[in-house]
């Protein structure tokens, strides 16, 4: 690994030298905030009035830095939806230039929504910014505003299944998405088996999705990074808001710890479907449970002119139980302690300690036998990152991170059974990275970087030597703290944007990503009980190389956006179960698995209207995703379960007047690849179905229309409120959730396919308020 460290160090020295050439220049820096709430604005721009090519944008914490030749300047500070502000600067003024922007009042019946990155000049590809205003208007199931279900409406992103919050990106599996909440990994981002996501939209400030094209500071997954950042809390005044719905309610409280110096935010949410179960005359249902709760909390405080600390956390738990017969409890807990320090006007430091915890418990009681299955995954992560604003053409970011993983792999305890447990798995995932955003010329922008990741398997758990048939030849055991094996993977990435004219550009890029943590699943949807495992001597790191090419164009002064991106992704060390593997017992997992290659390719088309009474977007994806694993499907390529050939989403938001807003979305996609039986035979008089190919059939195509109507109620001096009516699956299509096969009751020689659906019409109403 030392050679890679030397390479990264050499790049750091080379890139730092870019800033040392500055002579007769001065630097303008500061923080840009919302004047009303004190929330920092991510991606706000600062540009020289008569030279707009000279400019900078704020980072995730609202900080900017711009180095200019000596002389007085008029700077323009701008952010979508805010009034532009002028700033007079000169070398003789050494104070920081902090700016508070006011929101812009739009004309009656006009809505403005937009991403916060210039889609033409930015070199970044495959990135989607989710506007929070749009999120609040898109209709979803049960009327609950949902980040993950809105993400599924974007090009290149596909739903795992009806009502499920899981998603696939560019042909990758659900576990190949890195989901972060204030930099903490969320291993299971769903409530109630996927009907809700873990993200309470009222606590969210910014949502960014990178479709396999993330900058060098991100790593650990092949297909995407979903970076969700929580609100900091209002540091100007106290506010209480919330909502009451048919099956869930929420409450949010925020305000200043000390005005302009610090703030807090607390949001809580709970469903109460379990209350209705107690009204049932069925004694089993009365004893059943069906609810979740979650809590978001965040504090931040300014320690001085150059220092600010943040402490944020998320706590969520699901409880699903059928009387005393079955119980499923699972939940996430995350915590982030962050220290921002402005070292000088060109160097910004972010130091973080991050904790993630995901656990599930399954309880079963029947016939005098009771059993409990428990699994836990915990991460401790230490991360240091520096941003160096070398000059107006180079912005350098570099850092390191170290994650200590602990996995308790499904211990089984109980009475009337044989207790079974396996040793905890421990591993260490380290990374060094560096990147540079380079404005090479007025037309050419290049983002390039290198991430070097290393994964060390620690002692304590068993390793297995296997033969080709998966039989265990030898069991190896290393002492606690010993390093059994280390994988090192260099992950380069480069993106370039060439501006053809003021309204259009072409972009291209290449990315390599490595993944060391894997979710082993045998179902078509993501379940809480799927097993997370780390790489070991048999389970190699997954590696993906992705190339992209795109065309981007703005129309009518930027009111409309048009884009087309095509990609090809080649994946190594893809994982699937052997044919006939028993996935339900607690025996070692390695002998049940096989490994091979994957490929995914497609084209994504997007058209978006951003301004006016009517806004929305249309996205279409044509794609394929395939796997080839020796020992499966006669060694031939077969469609992965995330293979949807066609995927179409239409979203429209129409503001009728001051009171009423109407929105709708329509979704169509090709049915998922599945394994259906090709025939059957009898064994001792019992039917056994014969499967001849892996994922060789298709579920029926899926389509759905959702509607939402929002009415703003009469405002009062101290509070505002609204009613939201929504209808999920408006024309009542019975989309298949599961198809099961059984003997035809009228003729046992024939096989009958039985389709089960989750929803037809799902109406909902909710009341939202804010003080």
């Amino acid at each position: 690994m030392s050679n890679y460290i030397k390479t990264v160090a050499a790049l750091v020295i080379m890139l730092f030298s870019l800033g040392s050439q500055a002579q007769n220049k001065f630097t303008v820096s500061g923080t840009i905030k919302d004047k009303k709430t004190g929330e920092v604005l991510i991606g706000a721009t600062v540009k020289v009035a008569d030279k707009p090519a000279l400019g900078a944008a704020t980072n995730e914490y609202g900080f900017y830095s711009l180095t200019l030749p000596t002389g007085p300047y008029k700077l323009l500070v701008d952010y979508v939806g805010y009034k532009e502000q002028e700033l007079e600067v000169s070398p003789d003024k050494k104070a920081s230039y902090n700016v508070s922007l006011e929101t812009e009042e739009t004309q009656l019946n006009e809505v403005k929504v937009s991403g916060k990155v210039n889609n033409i000049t930015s070199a970044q590809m495959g990135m989607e910014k989710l506007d929070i205003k749009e999120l609040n208007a898109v209709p979803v199931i049960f009327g609950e505003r949902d980040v993950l279900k809105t993400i599924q409406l974007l090009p290149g992103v596909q739903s795992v299944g009806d009502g499920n919050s899981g998603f696939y990106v560019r042909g990758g599996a659900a576990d190949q998405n890195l989901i972060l909440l204030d930099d903490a990994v969320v291993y299971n981002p769903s409530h109630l088996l996927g009907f809700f996501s873990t993200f309470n939209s009222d606590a969210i400030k910014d949502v960014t999705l990178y479709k396999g094209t993330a900058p060098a500071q991100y790593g650990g997954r092949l297909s995407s990074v979903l970076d969700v950042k929580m609100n900091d809390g209002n540091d100007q005044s106290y506010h209480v808001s919330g909502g009451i719905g048919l099956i869930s309610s929420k409450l949010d409280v925020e305000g200043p710890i000390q005005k302009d110096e610090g703030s807090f935010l607390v949001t809580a949410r709970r469903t109460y479907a379990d209350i209705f179960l107690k009204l049932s005359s069925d004694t089993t249902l009365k004893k059943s449970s069906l609810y979740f709760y979650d809590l978001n909390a965040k504090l931040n405080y300014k320690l001085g002119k150059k220092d600010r600390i943040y402490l944020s956390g998320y706590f969520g738990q699901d409880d699903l139980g059928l009387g005393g017969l079955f119980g499923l409890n699972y939940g996430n807990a995350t915590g982030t302690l962050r220290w921002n320090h402005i070292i000088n006007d060109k160097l910004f430091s972010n130091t973080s300690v991050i904790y993630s915890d995901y656990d599930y418990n399954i309880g079963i009681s029947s016939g005098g036998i009771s059993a409990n299955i428990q699994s836990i995954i915990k991460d401790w992560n230490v991360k240091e990152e520096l941003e160096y604003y070398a000059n107006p053409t180079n912005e350098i970011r570099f850092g390191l991170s170290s994650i200590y993983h602990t996995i308790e792999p499904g211990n089984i305890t109980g009475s009337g059974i044989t207790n079974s447990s396996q040793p905890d798995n421990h591993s260490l995932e380290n990374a060094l990275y560096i990147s540079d955003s380079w404005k090479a010329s007025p037309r050419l922008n290049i983002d390039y970087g290198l991430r070097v990741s290393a994964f060390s398997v620690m002692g304590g758990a068993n390793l297995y030597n296997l033969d080709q048939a998966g039989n265990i030849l030898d069991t190896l055991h290393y002492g606690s703290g010993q390093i059994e094996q280390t994988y090192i993977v260099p992950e380069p990435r480069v993106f370039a944007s060439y501006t053809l004219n003021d309204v259009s550009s072409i972009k291209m890029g290449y990315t390599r990503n490595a993944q060391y943590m894997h979710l082993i699943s045998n179902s078509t949807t993501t379940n809480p009980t799927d097993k997370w495992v780390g790489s070991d001597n048999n389970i190699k790191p997954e590696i993906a190389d992705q190339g992209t090419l795109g065309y981007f164009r703005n129309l009518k002064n930027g009111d409309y956006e048009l884009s087309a991106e095509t990609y090809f992704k080649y994946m190594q060390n893809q994982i699937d179960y052997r044919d006939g593997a028993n996935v339900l017992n607690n025996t070692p997992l390695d002998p049940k698995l096989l490994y091979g290659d994957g490929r995914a390719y497609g084209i994504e088309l997007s058209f978006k209207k951003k301004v006016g009474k009517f806004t929305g977007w249309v996205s279409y994806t044509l794609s394929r995703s395939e796997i080839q694993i020796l020992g499966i499907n006669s060694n031939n390529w077969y469609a992965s379960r995330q293979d949807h050939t066609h995927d179409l989403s239409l979203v429209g938001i129409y503001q009728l007047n001051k009171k009423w807003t109407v929105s709708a979305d329509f979704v169509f996609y090709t049915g998922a690849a599945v394994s259906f039986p090709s025939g059957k035979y009898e064994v001792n008089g019992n039917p056994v179905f014969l499967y001849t190919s892996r994922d060789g059939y298709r579920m029926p195509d899926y389509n759905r229309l959702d509607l939402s109507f929002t009415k703003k109620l009469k405002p009062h001096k101290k509070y505002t409120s609204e009613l939201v009516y929504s209808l999920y699956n408006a024309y009542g299509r019975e989309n298949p959730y599961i198809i099961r096969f059984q003997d035809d009751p009228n003729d046992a020689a024939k096989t009958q396919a039985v389709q089960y659906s989750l929803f037809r019409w799902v109406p909902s109403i909710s009341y939202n308020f804010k003080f």
Side-chain angles (χ1 to χ4, degrees):
M1 184 176 178
S2 59
N3 290 333
Y4 292 117
I5 296 175
K6 291 178 182 178
T7 301
V8 174
L11 284 171
V12 171
I13 295 171
M14 179 187 71
L15 293 174
F16 258 116
S17 67
L18 294 171
S20 63
Q21 301 171 8
Q23 296 178 355
N24 298 321
K25 294 185 177 182
F26 76 109
T27 300
V28 181
S29 65
T31 302
I32 300 176
K33 295 184 176 182
D34 181 305
K35 186 175 183 179
K36 186 177 180 180
T37 66
E39 291 278 355
V40 298
L41 300 178
I42 303 172
T45 59
V46 181
K47 296 182 179 180
V48 177
D50 55 349
K51 296 179 181 179
L54 289 177
T58 55
N59 66 6
E60 301 93 317
Y61 309 102
F63 178 79
Y64 74 93
S65 177
L66 179 61
T67 300
L68 298 167
T70 301
Y73 292 93
K74 179 188 291 185
L75 302 181
L76 302 179
V77 183
D78 190 26
Y79 188 73
V80 174
Y82 288 75
K83 295 179 182 178
E84 186 178 74
Q85 186 169 322
E86 293 184 357
L87 191 64
E88 301 284 347
V89 300
S90 59
D92 57 328
K93 298 179 180 179
K94 296 298 182 181
S96 296
Y97 294 90
N98 298 321
V99 180
S100 295
L101 295 180
E102 297 183 63
T103 54
E104 183 179 36
E105 296 295 332
T106 59
Q107 297 179 1
L108 179 63
N109 295 344
E110 183 174 290
V111 178
K112 290 187 177 182
V113 293
S114 175
K116 302 172 182 66
V117 176
N118 190 317
N119 66 313
I120 300 300
T121 60
S122 170
Q124 183 64 54
M125 297 186 68
M127 183 180 73
E128 302 282 353
K129 280 279 189 179
L130 193 61
D131 193 288
I132 301 302
K133 294 178 182 178
E134 291 176 316
L135 169 65
N136 292 337
V138 174
V140 293
I141 190 169
F142 302 129
E144 185 75 19
R145 294 160 177 169
D146 198 305
V147 170
L148 297 188
K149 289 187 173 62
T150 306
I151 287 290
Q152 296 170 5
L153 301 172
L154 299 174
V157 184
Q158 298 162 329
S159 170
V160 166
D162 207 354
N164 202 293
S165 58
F167 58 97
Y168 303 130
V169 177
R170 290 186 171 176
D175 72 310
Q176 294 175 354
N177 304 311
L178 178 64
I179 300 175
L180 302 173
L181 179 63
D182 276 358
D183 277 351
V185 177
V186 179
Y187 280 96
N188 186 351
S190 65
H191 285 305
L192 294 185
L193 302 178
F195 296 132
F196 294 83
S197 82
T198 56
F199 301 114
N200 185 341
S201 63
D202 292 341
I204 294 172
K205 171 168 58 179
D206 187 79
V207 181
T208 305
L209 176 70
Y210 298 95
K211 295 180 286 189
T213 58
Q217 64 264 31
Y218 299 102
R221 299 292 187 273
L222 296 193
S223 293
S224 78
V225 176
L226 181 63
D227 191 0
V228 180
K229 299 190 182 303
M230 289 172 53
N231 284 318
D232 297 329
N234 194 313
D235 68 1
Q236 300 297 305
S237 56
Y238 295 97
H239 293 277
V240 177
S241 62
I244 302 172
L246 292 178
I247 65 170
S248 68
S249 292
K250 55 189 177 181
L251 184 67
D252 317 314
V253 181
E254 61 178 333
I257 299 173
Q258 182 179 347
K259 191 172 182 179
D260 293 321
E261 300 296 318
S263 60
F264 72 91
L265 168 74
V266 179
T267 69
R269 181 175 55 160
R270 192 192 192 276
T271 58
Y272 31 75
D274 55 315
I275 295 176
F276 299 106
L277 296 178
K278 300 189 183 303
L279 302 177
S280 173
S281 58
D282 189 312
T283 56
T284 300
L285 288 179
K286 278 188 174 182
K287 297 179 181 179
S288 298
S289 57
L290 178 64
Y291 71 89
F292 76 81
Y293 68 85
D294 53 31
L295 175 70
N296 295 76
K298 192 168 186 177
L299 301 170
N300 77 92
Y301 196 79
K302 188 186 295 184
L303 299 179
K305 292 183 178 180
K306 295 186 176 183
D307 297 277
R308 181 178 289 271
I309 57 170
Y310 301 82
L311 177 62
S312 62
Y314 167 83
F315 311 91
Q317 193 72 30
D318 283 68
D319 190 339
L320 297 86
L322 181 60
L325 304 176
F326 173 81
L328 172 60
N329 297 277
Y330 65 96
N332 296 278
T334 71
T336 303
L337 176 62
R338 176 178 291 113
W339 169 38
N340 286 173
H341 176 58
I342 302 173
I343 298 174
N344 56 49
D345 55 11
K346 299 177 72 170
L347 189 59
F348 182 91
S349 169
N350 178 40
T351 306
S352 304
V353 178
I354 305 161
Y355 175 73
S356 296
D357 183 307
Y358 168 61
D359 67 88
Y360 72 79
N361 289 271
I362 303 173
I364 302 172
S365 180
S366 179
I369 296 175
S370 64
N372 185 75
I373 305 172
Q374 181 185 46
S375 184
I376 301 173
I377 178 169
K378 295 181 180 179
D379 290 346
W380 281 100
N381 182 8
V382 178
K383 183 178 179 180
E384 170 61 30
E385 182 172 279
L386 296 168
E387 290 180 73
Y388 179 54
Y389 300 84
N391 51 52
T393 60
N394 293 91
E395 180 181 329
I396 302 160
R397 187 186 295 241
F398 52 98
L400 56 88
S401 68
S402 183
I403 307 173
Y404 185 73
H405 302 286
T406 301
I407 301 177
E408 296 181 16
N411 297 322
I412 301 176
T413 57
S415 60
I417 63 169
T418 301
N419 291 346
S420 174
S421 63
Q422 295 184 29
D424 293 352
N425 295 291
H426 301 278
S427 55
L428 190 62
E429 184 175 349
N430 297 311
L432 292 169
Y433 59 88
I434 184 168
S435 63
D436 180 24
S437 294
W438 176 32
K439 298 176 183 177
S441 74
R443 289 184 177 271
L444 179 63
N445 290 294
I446 301 175
D447 288 356
Y448 60 99
L450 174 65
R451 180 183 183 90
V452 179
S453 57
F455 186 86
S456 298
V457 183
M458 310 296 288
N462 293 329
L463 296 182
Y464 304 97
N465 286 334
L466 309 174
D467 62 18
Q468 290 186 346
N471 299 310
I472 297 176
L473 299 177
D474 191 17
T475 300
L476 308 176
H477 188 84
Y478 292 80
S480 178
Q482 286 185 280
I483 295 178
E484 301 172 351
Q485 185 161 356
T486 296
Y487 296 99
I488 300 174
V489 181
E491 304 174 44
R493 50 203 73 186
V494 59
F495 311 102
S497 168
Y498 184 78
T499 305
L500 302 173
N501 48 50
D502 291 340
V503 297
S504 64
S505 66
I506 55 173
K507 302 182 185 182
M508 61 180 60
Y510 163 76
T511 315
R512 165 171 280 204
N513 292 303
Q515 178 167 334
Y516 303 99
M517 303 295 289
H518 322 277
L519 184 65
I520 309 300
S521 173
N522 195 44
S523 61
T524 56
T525 59
T526 302
N527 293 320
T529 55
D530 293 339
K531 295 181 179 180
W532 281 97
V533 297
S535 294
D536 58 23
N537 62 318
N538 294 304
I539 305 174
K540 303 293 192 295
E542 299 177 68
I543 298 174
D545 294 277
Q546 178 175 283
T548 51
L549 177 67
Y551 174 76
F552 299 78
R553 185 177 183 87
N554 287 343
L555 305 170
K556 200 176 180 181
N557 297 320
D559 292 354
Y560 301 84
E561 287 183 0
L562 175 68
S563 67
E565 288 190 63
T566 183
Y567 65 90
F568 180 86
K569 179 164 57 176
Y570 174 71
M571 295 168 282
Q572 304 175 49
N573 302 324
Q574 299 302 282
I575 307 171
D576 209 338
Y577 278 109
R578 293 176 181 269
D579 290 333
N582 186 346
V583 302
L584 300 178
N585 60 28
N586 199 37
T587 57
L589 186 63
D590 289 23
K592 306 174 187 179
L593 305 177
L594 288 174
Y595 313 93
D597 298 330
R599 62 189 182 195
Y601 49 91
I603 184 169
E604 302 166 1
L605 305 176
S606 176
F607 178 76
K608 186 172 185 178
K609 185 178 186 294
K610 305 189 298 179
V611 176
K613 294 171 61 177
F614 178 75
T615 60
W617 70 86
V618 178
S619 66
Y620 170 72
T621 305
L622 174 65
S623 62
R624 292 303 310 271
S625 176
E626 299 171 308
I627 297 175
Q628 184 183 47
I629 296 178
L630 297 182
I632 297 177
N633 202 49
S634 301
N635 302 332
N636 296 317
W637 287 92
Y638 61 95
S640 64
R641 69 187 61 166
Q642 56 267 23
D643 180 66
H644 296 277
T645 309
H646 303 280
D647 192 297
L648 174 69
S649 298
L650 293 85
V651 178
I653 304 167
Y654 186 70
Q655 188 170 352
L656 292 172
N657 49 47
K658 283 185 176 181
K659 291 185 177 181
W660 284 96
T661 300
V662 180
S663 61
D665 65 62
F666 173 78
V667 176
F668 169 88
Y669 57 80
T670 304
V674 292
S675 298
F676 286 157
S678 302
K680 66 178 179 180
Y681 55 92
E682 285 191 1
V683 176
N684 297 325
N686 297 314
V688 178
F689 291 106
L690 174 66
Y691 294 84
T692 58
S693 62
R694 181 74 63 98
D695 293 339
Y697 295 86
R698 291 276 176 183
M699 296 284 280
D701 293 343
Y702 181 99
N703 63 84
R704 188 190 76 242
L705 173 69
D706 307 324
L707 301 173
S708 178
F709 306 87
T710 302
K711 181 183 180 181
K712 290 186 178 180
L713 303 180
K714 184 177 180 180
H716 294 262
K717 290 183 179 180
K718 294 186 178 181
Y719 72 92
T720 59
S721 59
E722 66 179 18
L723 283 171
V724 181
Y725 309 89
S726 67
L727 180 60
Y728 183 87
N729 197 16
Y731 50 77
R733 176 178 168 83
E734 294 185 76
N735 288 295
Y737 185 69
I738 297 174
I739 296 179
R740 296 192 182 279
F741 292 85
Q742 62 187 31
D743 287 344
D744 189 325
N746 298 318
D747 186 353
K750 296 181 180 179
T751 300
Q752 186 179 67
V754 181
Q755 173 181 308
Y756 298 87
S757 301
L758 282 180
F759 309 112
R760 292 201 71 180
W761 302 278
V762 184
S764 63
I765 181 173
S766 58
Y767 171 73
N768 300 317
F769 59 88
K770 184 172 184 178
F771 291 92

